[in-house]
Amino acid sequence: MDTVNKRWSERTMTKHTSSSLMAETTCMDAQDYTRATFCNDTLRLSTEEMDKVENASPNSSENPVLPKHPAAIKTKNISSARLRRRKNKASQDSLTDPTGTGSSTDSLQEDSMDRPIFSSTASLQNGQDSVDGLLGDSPRDVPSPRDLEGSLSEPERKKPELYNLADQLGRSSKIRLSPLQHSPSPAVEFCSASTSLRTANQIDKDCEDYDATGKGGLECLQRNHSDSRLSDTMVSDNTSLNSMKSSFSVLNPIRPRDARNRSFLEGSVLGHGALLGAGELDRYFPERRFGVYVVTWNMQGEKELPNNLDDLLLPIDTEVAQDLYIIGVQEGCADRREWDIRLQEALGPYYVMLYSAAHGVLYLSVFIRRDLIWFCSEVEHATVTTRIISQIKTKGAVGVSFTFFGTSFLFITSHFTSGDSKVYERILDYNKIIEALTLPKSIPDTNPYRSISSDVTTRFDEVFWFGDFNFRLNKDRAGVEGIMKENLGSDMSPLLQYDQLSKEMKDGAIFKGFQEAPIHFLPTYKFDIGFDVYDTTSKQRTPSYTDRILYRSRQKDDIKAVRYTSCSSIKTSDHRPVIGIFQVKLQPGRDNIPLGAGQFDRDLYLEGIRRRITRELKWKEAMKSQKSSSVCSVS
């Protein structure tokens, strides 16, 4: 800094000596003196200095660029901010003028002849770098020492070298400054309310029929159908950030470079760019929790299906719909295709049927949210009959398995041997199923070291087994009815102490490693069809918990039971359906599994949606006819 000051002092000594003598012999007021000094300093350069400037290389830092004459300054180069400051100053001068003769035009003209305004003081705070910047190629205005002193902070005014440099620069002509370096815009803040970052269980904004409060509106939908805890663990990337700034779509924008370079199915192991890897998993499930809705129901072979399955699949007392729906049926209706269409009609356009399998009158249907179908592997199924004659398929099991991201699932629905005292036969049915169910087939096992060849349930991360297990209560009918009349409320332990299945599981004879959520509902068997009354026929069956949902996971606490209850509104069978809602922990996966490629039953989807629309139109027509046919009478 001292070297720079010394060099500037030597060059300006000669110029200012002559300019000072001329200024002393000229009779002017203070303003004219300032103008003359400024012009003389600009024009008086020795011939040697002019030669040095002309012969200097453009990259030389020792020779400053020849200053321009003040007459070369053009008004069009003045910035809009500088004009605003001058106008404000002129307005203030005219207001404070005691004679009232001043004008904004005069003030502007006088200010234009005054010293230039320094636009950036930050360049003086960096020592030698500031001098290089002042001698750059971009024209900038230089302040006078008085203006510079007012713009500097207290510690900076105490530095003599900075003040001397500013004093010398203030008496010189216009100097070219380096271009301003604009700092990059700050990163976009996290916006947990962005619909592009929402995860599973989100209800679309255009669907008002899911508004449980009946008030409608987007705010109510977002409040009822979203999880506020997602904002704590939300994960995003540049693509998600760009989607938040998009005004035409909530989908993540795809850049051409990404479309050219990104490739799935490249065998990456838990890679961030993998389709089934951690990046995509966290995008859809920040908490890595997957909602599973399981239904088991013995339909008793009824030909007439319930008029409405909404209470079975979409109960109004649940906050959100789930990601995966598994419906297992025993003694199903004769028309299995009709049953699947009715399920699609009830679930609506948000879900597609991923797979459907059957074993005689045992049906197993799998529905998944349509935007999650791309993360599923191919679906496999297998069946086992427990009858002596294999052609009779009324008892046995059907299993469906697939991998979602990096978590493998197995769903089994089964119908065991009936009879109050046939506990041993039911245990034999269970052992035959776990040994004979040949799954998985081509889908790789996610953890083969923990698999047992004689037990199919050990080959999958998450297993759900449900159905009509036919286990009864070891107590007479009168004793069971007497306990139920004691107003049990939600505590069913007085009945469950006689439950055969609970006893056998505790002894380790059946369903090893499985759990069951606490039971807080009445026995689901056996009712008179169409009534809430237990069996009044001559057999006088004892009420029992025959319909159950059990689960097992390789890792502890991977499955969390959210709800476990029965659907008492469906009375077309002697069994009441049982519902289980679960949250399942997901793991990222590899891209080496055979993907399902988004396949689903398109014809069934279209038929179900067509019926749904037809039903709504008929309901609206009925409401219109009811209003038009109403008669107003005056008494």
Side-chain angles (χ1 to χ4, degrees):
M1 180 60 68
D2 295 337
T3 304
V4 175
N5 291 337
K6 183 177 179 180
R7 188 176 299 166
W8 274 93
S9 299
E10 292 175 354
R11 290 188 177 183
T12 56
M13 286 288 288
T14 304
K15 296 186 294 182
H16 292 310
T17 301
S18 60
S19 61
S20 299
L21 293 175
M22 292 178 63
E24 289 177 359
T25 59
T26 305
C27 296
M28 299 180 181
D29 56 5
Q31 182 175 3
D32 295 334
Y33 172 76
T34 303
R35 295 177 184 173
T37 303
F38 186 84
C39 295
N40 292 332
D41 288 344
T42 304
L43 298 176
R44 292 187 179 281
L45 288 175
S46 62
T47 306
E48 298 178 358
E49 291 177 344
M50 292 292 294
D51 296 338
K52 290 181 180 181
V53 171
E54 293 176 357
N55 300 328
S57 60
N59 297 328
S60 176
S61 60
E62 296 181 356
N63 299 316
V65 179
L66 182 63
K68 290 184 178 181
H69 192 277
I73 302 175
K74 296 183 181 180
T75 308
K76 62 179 181 180
N77 294 332
I78 303 177
S79 63
S80 59
R82 184 175 176 184
L83 283 174
R84 286 195 298 268
R85 290 197 298 270
R86 289 181 173 179
K87 290 180 180 180
N88 293 336
K89 178 179 179 182
S91 300
Q92 294 175 0
D93 294 340
S94 62
L95 292 175
T96 57
D97 188 2
T99 61
T101 58
S103 65
S104 59
T105 307
D106 296 338
S107 301
L108 180 60
Q109 292 174 354
E110 292 176 0
D111 188 64
S112 64
M113 296 300 295
D114 200 357
R115 58 186 176 276
I117 299 174
F118 189 60
S119 60
S120 177
T121 60
S123 60
L124 296 178
Q125 300 176 5
N126 298 323
Q128 183 63 33
D129 294 339
S130 64
V131 177
D132 297 338
L134 292 172
L135 302 179
D137 296 332
S138 177
R140 288 293 184 268
D141 295 332
V142 183
S144 66
R146 184 173 65 245
D147 292 341
L148 183 60
E149 182 179 359
S151 62
L152 296 177
S153 60
E154 183 65 22
E156 293 170 342
R157 288 197 297 266
K158 295 180 179 179
K159 298 179 179 180
E161 60 274 15
L162 291 179
Y163 186 86
N164 294 335
L165 178 59
D167 190 10
Q168 296 173 11
L169 293 177
R171 292 195 298 270
S172 64
S173 62
K174 294 189 73 175
I175 295 179
R176 297 176 181 270
L177 300 179
S178 60
L180 291 177
Q181 299 295 329
H182 297 284
S183 60
S185 302
V188 179
E189 296 180 357
F190 250 176
C191 180
S192 61
S194 173
T195 55
S196 65
L197 296 180
R198 288 296 180 188
T199 58
N201 303 336
Q202 177 192 5
I203 301 301
D204 290 354
K205 293 182 179 181
D206 58 350
C207 182
E208 295 182 358
D209 56 343
Y210 283 88
D211 191 351
T213 62
K215 298 179 181 179
L218 299 181
E219 295 181 358
C220 187
L221 284 173
Q222 291 177 357
R223 181 171 61 254
N224 292 340
H225 303 293
S226 62
D227 192 350
S228 59
R229 297 172 298 173
L230 297 179
S231 59
D232 296 334
T233 57
M234 189 165 293
V235 177
S236 176
D237 58 4
N238 293 334
T239 305
S240 299
L241 293 176
N242 292 334
S243 67
M244 288 191 289
K245 298 181 290 185
S246 174
S247 60
F248 54 88
S249 174
V250 298
L251 297 176
N252 295 334
I254 302 175
R255 296 175 297 184
R257 181 180 60 185
D258 296 336
R260 285 178 175 234
N261 298 331
R262 195 170 188 183
S263 176
F264 292 136
L265 299 178
E266 56 188 11
S268 56
V269 180
L270 303 179
H272 181 77
L275 176 63
L276 307 179
E280 291 294 315
L281 175 59
D282 292 337
R283 185 192 306 276
Y284 285 85
F285 301 96
E287 293 185 353
R288 298 192 177 182
R289 287 286 177 178
F290 183 59
V292 178
Y293 193 103
V294 179
V295 176
T296 179
W297 184 27
N298 187 321
M299 300 178 64
Q300 202 187 11
E302 291 294 326
K303 296 182 180 179
E304 295 184 3
L305 298 174
N307 295 328
N308 196 323
L309 296 176
D310 290 346
D311 292 341
L312 179 66
L313 302 175
L314 301 169
I316 59 175
D317 55 349
T318 55
E319 184 180 1
V320 293
Q322 302 304 310
D323 303 306
L324 186 68
Y325 279 80
I326 310 295
I327 301 97
V329 171
Q330 306 83 42
E331 297 182 15
C333 60
D335 192 347
R336 170 187 160 207
R337 183 70 175 180
E338 178 66 20
W339 169 245
D340 287 336
I341 293 176
R342 293 292 302 276
L343 293 175
Q344 180 69 75
E345 179 185 353
L347 289 174
Y350 295 101
Y351 297 88
V352 295
M353 191 174 76
L354 181 65
Y355 203 78
S356 180
H359 177 69
V361 291
L362 287 172
Y363 305 154
L364 185 57
S365 305
V366 180
F367 288 82
I368 191 172
R369 282 188 55 163
R370 63 187 185 188
D371 47 351
L372 299 177
I373 194 172
W374 306 103
F375 309 105
C376 292
S377 70
E378 294 179 352
V379 184
E380 302 173 333
H381 89 278
T383 60
V384 175
T385 182
T386 56
R387 292 287 194 180
I388 297 177
I389 302 176
S390 60
Q391 286 76 13
I392 302 176
K393 301 178 181 179
T394 56
K395 296 292 189 295
V398 54
V400 168
S401 65
F402 61 90
T403 298
F404 185 72
F405 280 98
T407 303
S408 57
F409 288 86
L410 172 64
F411 299 94
I412 304 175
T413 184
S414 61
H415 196 182
F416 292 167
T417 303
S418 61
D420 291 350
S421 59
K422 294 185 178 181
V423 177
Y424 180 72
E425 285 78 0
R426 288 189 275 273
I427 296 176
L428 292 179
D429 293 344
Y430 163 80
N431 289 329
K432 184 175 182 179
I433 292 171
I434 63 174
E435 293 177 1
L437 202 62
T438 56
L439 290 174
K441 297 178 180 178
S442 60
I443 305 299
D445 192 343
T446 56
N447 194 346
Y449 301 101
R450 301 186 62 178
S451 301
I452 300 176
S453 58
S454 59
D455 188 351
V456 66
T457 62
T458 63
R459 304 172 203 156
F460 297 88
D461 297 320
E462 320 297 341
V463 181
F464 292 88
W465 196 330
F466 45 95
D468 182 3
F469 298 151
N470 263 321
F471 285 97
R472 313 299 174 89
L473 295 179
N474 284 328
K475 195 172 182 61
D476 57 275
R477 168 81 180 256
V480 172
E481 289 182 343
I483 295 175
M484 290 190 294
K485 291 179 180 179
E486 297 177 356
N487 297 325
L488 297 176
S490 60
D491 184 14
M492 299 298 165
S493 57
L495 287 176
L496 293 172
Q497 63 179 336
Y498 303 104
D499 180 51
Q500 294 175 349
L501 179 58
S502 299
K503 180 180 180 302
E504 297 301 327
M505 288 180 64
K506 187 177 180 180
D507 295 340
I510 194 173
F511 290 112
K512 299 177 182 179
F514 280 83
Q515 305 177 60
E516 184 178 17
I519 297 176
H520 299 297
F521 52 91
L522 293 173
T524 57
Y525 174 84
K526 169 178 171 70
F527 288 91
D528 290 342
I529 297 177
F531 301 94
D532 289 326
V533 179
Y534 288 100
D535 188 17
T536 58
T537 63
S538 58
K539 293 184 178 181
Q540 292 288 301
R541 300 286 190 184
T542 302
S544 300
Y545 293 98
T546 58
D547 308 281
R548 314 288 275 271
I549 301 176
L550 307 178
Y551 56 92
R552 170 180 177 171
S553 60
R554 278 176 171 171
Q555 302 293 332
K556 186 178 180 181
D557 300 331
D558 271 4
I559 301 177
K560 178 183 177 181
V562 178
R563 189 176 185 185
Y564 191 37
T565 185
S566 63
C567 182
S568 59
S569 62
I570 295 182
K571 306 174 183 179
T572 59
S573 171
D574 58 349
H575 290 254
R576 293 289 184 265
V578 175
I579 299 170
I581 301 177
F582 305 90
Q583 289 290 318
V584 182
K585 183 71 175 295
L586 295 178
Q587 298 293 336
R590 305 182 182 185
D591 286 344
N592 59 352
I593 65 172
L595 291 175
Q599 297 180 359
F600 65 94
D601 196 323
R602 179 178 179 271
D603 295 335
L604 184 138
Y605 178 84
L606 295 177
E607 178 63 22
I609 302 307
R610 186 189 65 80
R611 292 191 185 185
R612 185 184 180 95
I613 296 175
T614 304
R615 182 184 65 181
E616 293 178 357
L617 293 177
K618 289 182 178 180
W619 179 81
K620 291 181 180 179
E621 291 295 333
M623 294 299 295
K624 289 181 180 179
S625 61
Q626 182 179 0
K627 291 181 181 179
S628 61
S629 62
S630 60
V631 178
C632 180
S633 60
V634 179
S635 57

